[in-house]
Amino acid sequence: MNILVIGSGGREHVIAQKFVQSPLVETVYCAKGNPGMKQDDIHLVAIEEDNHPELIQFAKEHHVDWTFVGPEVPLLNGIVDDFEAAGLKIFGPRKSAAMIEGSKDFAKTLMNKYSIPTARHQTFFDFKQAKEYVQQKGAPIVIKADGLAAGKGVIVAESVEQAIEALEDMLEGNRFGESGAKVVVEDFLAGEEFSLLAFVREQEVYPMTVAQDHKRAYDNDLGPNTGGMGAYSPVPQIPKEMIDEAVRTVLIPAAKGMVKDGCSFTGILYAGLIATDEGPKVIEFNARFGDPETQVVLQRLESDLAEIITDLLDEKQPSIKWKEGGFSLGVVVAADGYPGEYQKGVSLPAFSSSDETRVYYAGVEEIDNKLVSSGGRIYLVEAEGTTLEDAQKKVYDLLETKETTGTFYRNDIGSKALK
Ligand code: AMP
Ligand code: GLY
């Protein structure tokens, strides 16, 4: 069969690579993809993610059996609705269900209605009211722009002054445009973070192995929030009971609640959780695979990803097996300055593929047959190991041998689990 993947980052690179490896699959297309994917036999399609009519035409002309959507923006633009209306198979939530990621207020309302554990919150449009609420509550407190902000619309304020500054920025300064015109203020949750993803088909929930992302830009969780600087899977310090509880109290009620509310979810549901003393609590939902979590989680999948998605689309029971021992760990290499302003066109070292390590590309372009950087997060190096130390060592040993001028990476991905 032929598969089309929508997206262009490291997440889409690993998803498409898994499809390429399936004996069921002939050709994997990726729109628009990136030139780093070509080494893995992924065919790039020069159509923009938001050009649904051309993507639909391409899928028809190239006998694409089904399409897989990586990022949130096309989902919220209704790409699934449009493909379905054209009679094409596509895996991902419709626009009405993708709102679980597209609006924090939508997600909070769902959680309150179905008693899904999350931080207490209040939504504000008005700066003065929000300011009074924060003064009453005290710090630490968390301020979130309501809409999409690529992981950067969240301020964990250590002081009331910092919280008020963030509110002023979003509600009066229009810093996040539309997505900050509405702000969610929520209680600070203390505990370790983990990402729990699942394949979901309406009421049915098939959880994946958990991962931990590293959202802050610099070592020891310092610096600004980013899209994610590295991840590993599984997460040994999160006990199985905590994960089982999260499936029971978060994923299942969310899937069932959305069916009840007439916006049933089929696709990848991602819960960002904090393991608090009172059990797992949600800090965010995403309507898609996480980046960089996917680059490590999918290494742990023993079953054929293309077969799982085919079965889900065909209303069959999927067979999903995860590896028993070992770990996968991935480190993101980003452009100096990211997540602020950064330079483009940095030349990148060559990597030869090996059994031990893999490279997934994101913000890259090709100039004179050479890959150079074009984005903030440029590539991720991933390795598996029998222990987490082993996986971590393989990644950092490889990175140390490479020329990384103009770029940076965190040196402590996975270290929290090793303390
Ligand atoms: P989000 O984009 O909602 O995942 O938030 C970005 C980051 O801010 C998260 O990964 C957490 O580290 C932090 N964060 C968000 N909400 C909370 C909260 N209620 N309590 C503590 N930390 C939070
Ligand atoms: N790594 C977090 C995300 O994909 O939203």
Side-chain angles (χ1 to χ4, degrees):
M1 73 188 159
N2 302 318
I3 296 173
L4 170 63
V5 177
I6 307 291
S8 62
R11 164 183 55 207
E12 288 76 23
H13 189 168
V14 68
I15 292 168
Q17 185 194 54
K18 292 289 155 195
F19 292 154
V20 168
Q21 288 164 357
S22 166
L24 304 173
V25 176
E26 209 166 316
T27 308
V28 179
Y29 299 102
C30 191
K32 288 173 75 155
N34 72 63
M37 295 177 177
K38 289 195 287 190
Q39 66 192 37
D40 286 316
D41 207 19
I42 299 159
H43 298 252
L44 305 190
V45 178
I47 304 174
E48 298 296 333
E49 272 167 31
D50 61 0
N51 192 341
H52 301 180
E54 270 194 41
L55 290 169
I56 287 169
Q57 195 187 343
F58 178 90
K60 286 185 174 166
E61 282 174 5
H62 291 78
H63 307 287
V64 166
D65 291 86
W66 47 258
T67 298
F68 187 99
V69 189
E72 62 277 18
V73 173
L75 293 169
L76 282 156
N77 283 338
I79 195 168
V80 172
D81 310 60
D82 290 347
F83 269 61
E84 285 180 346
L88 294 174
K89 282 191 187 174
I90 183 164
F91 191 76
R94 298 187 188 124
K95 187 176 175 173
S96 57
M99 286 304 283
I100 196 167
E101 171 165 8
S103 163
K104 303 233 184 249
D105 195 30
F106 176 101
K108 284 290 190 185
T109 305
L110 182 86
M111 288 189 270
N112 287 346
K113 190 166 169 190
Y114 296 104
S115 307
I116 296 170
T118 185
R120 245 174 312 177
H121 84 291
Q122 202 120 306
T123 304
F124 293 96
F125 298 89
D126 179 69
F127 171 62
K128 264 212 199 104
Q129 283 174 7
K131 183 176 163 186
E132 271 168 30
Y133 179 78
V134 162
Q135 281 168 332
Q136 219 176 55
K137 279 267 175 185
I141 194 155
V142 182
I143 315 290
K144 301 184 172 184
D146 179 63
L148 293 179
K152 295 159 213 152
V154 175
I155 309 289
V156 179
E158 313 282 344
S159 66
V160 170
E161 292 70 40
Q162 197 193 346
I164 292 171
E165 201 180 303
L167 288 171
E168 196 165 7
D169 250 16
M170 290 183 196
L171 288 169
E172 305 228 294
N174 209 21
R175 175 137 161 249
F176 293 93
E178 274 288 292
S179 59
K182 186 171 166 186
V183 163
V184 171
V185 180
E186 70 177 35
D187 290 359
F188 174 80
L189 297 175
E192 191 136 352
E193 250 180 280
F194 65 106
S195 307
L196 172 62
L197 288 77
F199 299 97
V200 174
R201 178 175 56 199
E202 303 192 336
Q203 308 255 5
E204 295 161 52
V205 172
Y206 305 96
M208 302 189 200
T209 176
V210 296
Q212 187 171 63
D213 189 7
H214 297 64
K215 293 252 167 81
R216 301 296 193 105
Y218 314 130
D219 287 7
N220 302 313
D221 290 335
L222 296 175
N225 267 319
T226 68
M229 294 299 293
Y232 61 97
S233 173
V235 188
Q237 68 276 34
I238 305 289
K240 185 176 179 301
E241 297 72 44
M242 181 71 77
I243 299 166
D244 291 345
E245 188 179 341
V247 172
R248 201 175 61 243
T249 63
V250 174
L251 291 180
I252 293 175
K256 287 195 169 159
M258 290 179 86
V259 173
K260 263 202 198 132
D261 289 357
C263 53
S264 67
F265 188 102
T266 292
I268 307 296
L269 183 60
Y270 166 133
L273 299 159
I274 293 195
T276 75
D277 292 342
E278 298 164 359
K281 293 194 182 182
V282 176
I283 49 171
E284 67 167 342
F285 277 116
N286 293 321
R288 49 161 177 90
F289 269 119
D291 191 336
E293 288 94 329
T294 312
Q295 289 89 317
V296 294
V297 166
L298 288 184
Q299 310 303 339
R300 309 292 307 149
L301 181 63
E302 220 167 67
S303 318
D304 180 339
L305 181 65
E307 193 175 349
I308 294 172
I309 305 298
T310 304
D311 287 344
L312 288 167
L313 286 166
D314 290 346
E315 314 267 309
K316 284 195 209 139
Q317 175 82 21
S319 147
I320 305 173
K321 259 193 89 189
W322 299 94
K323 291 179 188 169
E324 292 284 344
F327 292 86
S328 164
L329 182 139
V331 175
V332 169
V333 177
D336 282 346
Y338 173 79
E341 270 185 44
Y342 54 82
Q343 199 194 334
K344 297 179 184 178
V346 178
S347 50
L348 305 181
F351 289 91
S352 49
S353 50
S354 83
D355 294 342
E356 295 272 276
T357 52
R358 287 155 288 262
V359 178
Y360 296 107
Y361 287 98
V364 296
E365 62 183 347
E366 206 169 32
I367 294 179
D368 298 333
N369 279 324
K370 282 216 174 91
L371 287 182
V372 301
S373 77
S374 63
R377 289 194 294 177
I378 307 169
Y379 61 91
L380 171 145
V381 177
E382 182 275 337
E384 278 185 287
T386 47
T387 64
L388 195 56
E389 285 101 325
D390 182 27
Q392 189 189 46
K393 186 169 183 315
K394 282 181 193 167
V395 173
Y396 285 118
D397 281 356
L398 179 67
L399 278 170
E400 265 166 34
T401 66
K402 300 292 175 184
E403 171 62 52
T404 52
T405 308
T407 65
F408 76 101
Y409 54 85
R410 278 182 60 159
N411 295 288
D412 64 346
I413 302 301
S415 293
K416 224 181 276 167
L418 301 172
K419 274 184 193 147

